[in-house]
Amino acid sequence: MAKKSSKDATLAPLALDADLRIAAAPALRDTLLKALAAGDAVELDGTAVAQVDTAALQLLAAFSRDARAAGLSVTWTGASDSLQRGVAVLGLNSLIELPARAGVN
């Protein structure tokens, strides 16, 4: 997971790893909790995600819900096809709010 500093003037997007399956869930959870604790808007980059499972998607959904409840915005710089499919299959579009795919209305 990429690290970000809450003191940076412009925060770099938090880049998600290529493998977001259950073995990566503890590290993903820690990273997302730190981002939430920083109290800043969060920008996620999911373009490198090649493999994702329900555990990681549940973490992303809970993080998005908790961030919004705390008044923090969560935006995405991009999302891989694998991430888009996983979110769609589980019906998490309204929680995770990935960016629209190019050419899709």
Side-chain angles (χ1 to χ4, degrees), residues 5-65:
S5 168
S6 62
K7 307 238 186 247
D8 291 345
T10 52
L11 299 175
L14 184 70
L16 300 179
D17 290 337
D19 188 351
L20 289 186
R21 292 179 291 175
I22 197 162
L28 177 61
R29 179 182 177 272
D30 290 345
T31 299
L32 295 175
L33 286 174
K34 286 177 187 171
L36 193 59
D40 296 322
V42 179
E43 188 174 2
L44 298 170
D45 180 358
T47 55
V49 176
Q51 298 177 318
V52 64
D53 66 10
T54 303
L57 292 170
Q58 288 173 325
L59 284 171
L60 290 169
F63 168 75
S64 295
R65 179 201 61 214

Side-chain angles (χ1 to χ4, degrees), residues 78-97:
S80 68
D81 287 342
S82 295
L83 185 56
Q84 293 271 4
R85 277 192 303 274
V87 168
V89 166
L90 294 182
L92 296 173
N93 304 66
S94 64
L95 274 175
I96 296 178
E97 296 182 345

